[in-house]
């Protein structure tokens, strides 16, 4: 039973590793898109005249940043669930082994 549990935990950690890599990729995409957004001086002109954003940046840039942030949050939530499952499983196993000893 213990070997099966360790294989299952290794499988879960592989999923966590994949999720972390996906988060890193999403963060990199967000940073690239964010760097295309208006800088400090341009931001204030947009704040004063919201219509001027079409002159500075295509509106799709803001939309793609929003989409990437949404995907990143989804990946982070999936990672959180996987970590919670792993922690519960390990605590359950630890408690069962410490009670039997």
């Amino acid at each position: 039973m213990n070997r099966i549990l360790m294989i299952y935990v290794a499988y879960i950690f592989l999923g966590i590793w994949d999720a972390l890599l996906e988060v890193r990729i999403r963060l990199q995409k967000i940073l690239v898109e964010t760097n295309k957004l208006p800088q400090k001086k341009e931001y204030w002109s947009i704040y004063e005249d919201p219509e001027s954003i079409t002159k500075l940046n295509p509106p799709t840039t803001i939309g793609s940043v929003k989409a990437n942030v949404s995907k990143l949050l989804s990946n982070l939530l999936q990672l959180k669930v996987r970590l919670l499952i792993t922690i519960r499983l390990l605590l359950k196993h630890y408690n069962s082994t410490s009670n039997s000893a």
Side-chain angles (χ1 to χ4, degrees):
M1 178 65 180
N2 201 8
R3 183 158 174 82
I4 294 172
L5 179 66
M6 290 309 217
I7 291 171
Y8 182 67
V9 169
Y11 175 76
I12 291 173
F13 276 117
L14 182 61
I16 291 170
W17 177 255
D18 286 342
L20 284 171
L21 286 176
E22 186 68 26
V23 166
R24 187 199 67 79
I25 291 167
R26 297 274 182 221
L27 278 173
Q28 188 172 357
K29 288 180 181 180
I30 290 171
L31 287 174
V32 168
E33 293 297 322
T34 303
N35 285 336
K36 294 177 186 176
L37 292 175
Q39 299 302 314
K40 190 175 183 178
K41 291 178 184 177
E42 294 172 335
Y43 173 78
W44 289 111
S45 66
I46 292 171
Y47 183 74
E48 292 169 1
D49 180 22
E51 296 297 320
S52 67
I53 193 166
T54 56
K55 299 173 194 167
L56 298 173
N57 251 339
T60 56
T61 301
I62 294 173
S64 63
V65 170
K66 286 180 183 180
N68 282 330
V69 169
S70 176
K71 289 176 187 175
L72 174 66
L73 290 175
S74 174
N75 287 345
L76 287 173
L77 287 173
Q78 289 175 1
L79 179 61
K80 177 184 171 185
V81 169
R82 287 181 181 177
L83 286 172
L84 287 174
I85 290 170
T86 304
I87 289 169
R88 284 184 184 168
L89 185 64
L90 291 174
L91 285 175
K92 184 178 179 182
H93 177 70
Y94 175 76
N95 289 334
S96 68
T97 57
S98 64
N99 289 338
S100 64

